[in-house]
Structures are given as C-alpha cells and as structure tokens.
Amino acid sequence: RKEVEQDPGPFNVPEGATVAFNCTYSNSASQSFFWYRQDCRKEPKLLMSVYSSGNEDGRFTAQLNRASQYISLLIRDSKLSDSATYLCVWTNSGYALNFGKGTSLLVTP
Amino acid sequence: SAVISQKPSRDICQRGTSLTIQCQVDSQVTMMFWYRQQPGQSLTLIATANQGSEATYESGFVIDKFPISRPNLTFSTLTVSNMSPEDSSIYLCSVDNRGLTDTQYFGPGTRLTVL
C-alpha cells in the first residue's frame, strides 16, 4: 500500500464553487502534514500546514483526522487562479518531505 | 522565506555524459535537499545534503550516480552521472525553514532531458 494516496483528479469546478480534496496516509508515525501547491512547470510552494484542530487561511481550510488517517483541504469560492496541482505532504519528525502524487484542480469561468 | 536559485534551468544532454546542477540560497541554511520529479509524477527525495559531512541518500539512490557537494551553508551541487534517458526529470533543491518548522522552500528546478 502506498504511504500517501490522493485522488489525481482532475477536478473541474466552476468559479465560485467549493471543492474538497482528501489524502489518506498509512504510516501512523507520520507527525506533520502540509498541503503544497504546484503550478504547471513551477516548483511546489507551501500552501498551509495541517493541524488536528483544523486551520483556516482565508478561503482555505485544512483538517487532520488522525483516527481515520486522512487530511483534507477545502477551498471555498474557487478562483481561476486556484487552478493547480495540490500535493499532500507529510514528514515523520525528520526534515525530509514525502509527497503524494497530487490532485489536479481546474477552475473554469 | 529563502530565495533559491538553480543553474542551469534546463539542459539537453547526451546519454553517458554527466551534468552538475547548482543550488544557491540567499541565506545560511542547515539542511538542503535534492528531489527528483519525473514526468507526471510527484517529488521523490534523492538525498539530504549536509554541510561538512557526506550526503544521506534515500533508498534507490547511490552516491556514485548522484554525487552531492555541500561546501558551505548557502550552496550545494548535485551531479547526475553517466546519464540515460530514464534520468530525464526535473531536479529540485530545497532548504529547511531555518529549522523552525518542517516546511521547506524549493528552488525553481532544473529540467533535464537526456537523449
């Protein structure tokens, strides 16, 4: 079983829609989780960290469910500029990041 | 956040040759990392570049194929040796966020095509 699994998509949504991505992980020792965003032909950039208590940054809400071993990302009021690949990332106390394959989002006018 | 540059940004190479990729950071950082992103795939860690000691390689990657240098706290190089078409990939360096969190910042990447 892969350590991190993401639905590759693509998710095609209209502007203004709400969209949610999930990412499941199998390593219960995983300690820290993040969502990174990668635009086409660009490097990944940190979108937000993910905490068990849930955290929100503007239109973006991230949640960690340790019991069910998944993390989620909710995007409200989607913008065209949200079109990108969203990478589920985890680390287990080391500095090396482990990446999921990413979920592709396309927001259309 | 750190500003990271990589050279070259892209290259096309013949099989059997070697390419050295440079990564420069605008501030001193403890940890530097080298990742590979093959077409249509996510990022895979190649190795952690430690200043003053040998790099630490992940399973499936060896020093003879991917020698790494880390002469100081702002610079590292990754060499892709004896290249084959399977080495065609984007190679990215990243740095830690001054050890404060587990987040990292990535360079713009080097797009390598091996013919």
Side-chain angles (χ1 to χ4, degrees):
Chain A
R1 182 181 173 183
K2 297 176 184 175
E3 293 201 63
V4 172
E5 294 203 35
Q6 285 186 259
D7 182 343
F11 284 63
N12 293 329
V13 302
E15 260 187 301
T18 295
V19 61
F21 310 134
N22 282 340
C23 169
T24 58
Y25 63 95
S26 59
N27 187 342
S28 58
S30 305
Q31 293 197 354
S32 300
F33 298 88
F34 312 90
W35 284 102
Y36 274 69
R37 168 188 170 137
Q38 187 172 27
D39 291 281
C40 187
R41 294 179 174 267
K42 298 287 188 181
E43 72 275 18
K45 293 184 179 178
L46 176 67
L47 179 65
M48 58 198 306
S49 301
V50 188
Y51 307 115
S52 296
S53 55
N55 48 305
E56 189 173 309
D57 183 3
R59 298 180 293 108
F60 299 84
T61 301
Q63 187 77 50
L64 165 63
N65 186 318
R66 287 196 182 272
S68 301
Q69 294 189 197
Y70 76 86
I71 69 171
S72 62
L73 177 68
L74 181 77
I75 306 175
R76 292 180 298 276
D77 189 22
S78 299
K79 311 293 185 188
L80 297 177
S81 57
D82 293 334
S83 298
T85 297
Y86 291 84
L87 302 168
C88 172
V89 181
W90 66 272
T91 181
N92 61 341
S93 79
Y95 287 99
L97 299 180
N98 301 278
F99 286 82
K101 288 192 174 182
T103 298
S104 178
L105 172 65
L106 178 62
V107 181
T108 56
Chain B
S1 64
V3 177
I4 306 165
S5 60
Q6 285 186 233
K7 289 181 181 179
S9 59
R10 59 176 63 229
D11 208 341
I12 300 174
C13 302
Q14 297 293 327
R15 69 172 68 209
T17 63
S18 298
L19 175 72
T20 295
I21 302 168
Q22 299 179 6
C23 179
Q24 180 75 54
V25 192
D26 69 339
S27 57
Q28 293 185 342
V29 293
T30 306
M31 310 288 283
M32 295 182 76
F33 307 89
W34 286 99
Y35 290 82
R36 179 173 74 181
Q37 187 171 27
Q38 294 179 303
Q41 301 296 315
S42 193
L43 284 79
T44 301
L45 180 66
I46 297 172
T48 302
N50 307 305
Q51 196 269 333
S53 64
E54 284 198 359
T56 304
Y57 288 83
E58 297 299 302
S59 175
F61 298 97
V62 295
I63 187 171
D64 290 346
K65 176 66 176 178
F66 297 101
I68 287 171
S69 77
R70 180 83 196 272
N72 56 53
L73 292 174
T74 64
F75 186 78
S76 178
T77 68
L78 169 76
T79 299
V80 186
S81 304
N82 188 25
M83 288 183 285
S84 66
E86 291 72 34
D87 294 320
S88 297
S89 185
I90 299 172
Y91 292 85
L92 301 108
C93 70
S94 74
V95 304
D96 71 318
N97 184 22
R98 302 179 186 276
L100 297 176
T101 70
D102 290 327
T103 59
Q104 294 178 12
Y105 298 100
F106 285 82
T110 296
R111 187 176 296 271
L112 171 63
T113 301
V114 184
L115 303 178

